[in-house]
């Protein structure tokens, strides 16, 4: 997930500043946020279905215990990617201090949760605190964006965010059967809600690639 975020960050700034003066800039960035968010949630849920198998296959001894923190540290960079999309609007409208304040709120939450959870849950508590700090920063910046009308979020994406947060909480309590059922439920809802959108995007990308080959 860190590699995905790094690749995204390398190309995002060019895209963001090349479209900042477009008339549909707000709607375009909102769509990017929604689609990347749903894709991130889907990949995260699928990854958690195979974490035990992968860790048992690749590692031995104490390293296998890495699967305890895997879900939270896998999702964190993907949440940071969504934060960067939202925070870009503060640069477009020259209000970057909103970004700083949102990150500061995340830092405070991180320190507080580390203090409370590490004595109780150990390294798992630290990983969960890291994820929560990113989520809080994202929520804070999104509240500002929505109030300023610099981004918009529809009900489908809001529901997916709530379902993903619920799934993370279920994982935290290590209820295997409930986690499995919840994972399939989230994946099913994503397919139902976004199948047409992703098919349309895929067809458009294939069409663009064909045009480029013809031009060459």
């Amino acid at each position: 997930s860190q590699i995905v975020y790094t690749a995204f960050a390398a190309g995002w700034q060019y895209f963001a500043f090349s479209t900042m003066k477009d008339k549909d800039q707000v709607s375009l960035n909102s769509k990017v946020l929604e689609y990347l968010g749903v894709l991130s949630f889907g990949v995260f849920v699928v990854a958690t279905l195979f974490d035990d198998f992968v860790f048992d296959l690749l590692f031995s001894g104490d390293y296998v215990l890495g699967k305890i923190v895997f879900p939270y540290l896998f999702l964190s960079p993907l949440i940071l990617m969504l934060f960067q999309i939202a925070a870009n609007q503060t640069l477009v409208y020259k209000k970057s201090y909103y970004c700083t304040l949102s990150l500061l709120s995340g830092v405070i939450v991180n320190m507080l949760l580390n203090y409370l959870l590490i004595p109780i849950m150990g390294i798992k508590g630290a990983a969960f605190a890291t994820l929560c700090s990113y989520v809080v920063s994202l929520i804070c910046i999104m509240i500002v964006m929505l109030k300023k009308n610099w981004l918009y979020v529809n009900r489908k994406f809001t529901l997916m965010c709530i379902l993903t947060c619920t799934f993370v909480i279920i994982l935290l309590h290590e209820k295997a059967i409930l986690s499995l059922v919840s994972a399939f439920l989230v994946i099913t809802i994503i397919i139902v809600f976004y199948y047409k959108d992703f098919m349309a995007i895929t067809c458009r990308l294939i069409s663009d690639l064909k045009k480029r080959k013809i031009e060459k």
Side-chain angles (χ1 to χ4, degrees):
S1 62
Q2 185 62 47
I3 293 172
V4 170
Y5 170 73
T6 302
F8 163 81
W12 172 249
Q13 291 301 322
Y14 173 79
F15 171 82
F17 287 106
S18 65
T19 59
M20 64 183 296
K21 294 184 179 180
D22 292 356
K23 293 180 180 180
D24 61 343
Q25 190 266 349
V26 171
S27 61
L28 179 61
N29 278 21
S30 299
K31 282 293 183 183
V32 171
L33 176 71
E34 179 180 1
Y35 290 152
L36 283 181
V38 171
L39 187 61
S40 298
F41 298 155
V43 171
F44 160 68
V45 172
V46 171
T48 59
L49 296 175
F50 300 97
D51 56 354
D52 287 344
F53 171 76
V54 172
F55 273 83
D56 291 337
L57 179 66
L58 298 180
F59 303 103
S60 61
D62 291 340
Y63 292 103
V64 176
L65 298 177
K67 60 188 176 185
I68 297 174
V69 299
F70 167 77
Y72 318 107
L73 298 185
F74 181 85
L75 184 58
S76 293
L78 302 180
I79 296 297
L80 182 59
M81 180 174 66
L82 302 183
F83 176 86
Q84 187 169 342
I85 295 172
N88 176 73
Q89 297 299 86
T90 65
L91 300 178
V92 172
Y93 292 98
K94 299 179 181 179
K95 301 289 184 180
S96 59
Y97 57 86
Y98 286 127
C99 178
T100 304
L101 293 174
S102 299
L103 289 173
L104 180 61
S105 65
V107 170
I108 294 172
V109 168
N110 191 19
M111 292 189 295
L112 179 62
L113 288 180
N114 274 317
Y115 177 77
L116 295 174
L117 297 180
I118 289 178
I120 301 173
M121 303 171 64
I123 191 173
K124 186 176 180 180
F128 183 69
T130 298
L131 175 59
C132 288
S133 67
Y134 284 126
V135 172
V136 168
S137 294
L138 178 60
I139 291 174
C140 289
I141 196 69
M142 285 303 301
I143 290 174
V144 176
M145 296 301 101
L146 294 174
K147 285 188 175 182
K148 294 287 187 178
N149 293 318
W150 294 346
L151 282 176
Y152 67 81
V153 174
N154 58 37
R155 292 180 180 178
K156 287 195 303 183
F157 185 58
T158 302
L159 177 60
M160 291 311 311
C161 293
I162 294 172
L163 287 175
T164 304
C165 289
T166 304
F167 177 70
V168 171
I169 293 172
I170 292 172
L171 284 177
L172 187 67
H173 289 84
E174 297 182 350
K175 298 184 181 296
I177 297 177
L178 187 57
S179 298
L180 185 63
V181 173
S182 302
F184 280 106
L185 177 63
V186 173
I187 294 169
T188 301
I189 293 175
I190 289 175
I191 293 173
V192 172
F193 280 0
Y194 290 96
Y195 173 77
K196 292 183 179 179
D197 297 82
F198 285 125
M199 286 301 296
I201 293 172
T202 302
C203 291
R204 188 179 302 174
L205 290 173
I206 293 173
S207 177
D208 290 342
L209 289 173
K210 288 181 178 178
K211 287 181 180 178
R212 290 180 181 179
K213 287 182 180 180
I214 293 173
E215 290 176 356
K216 289 181 178 179

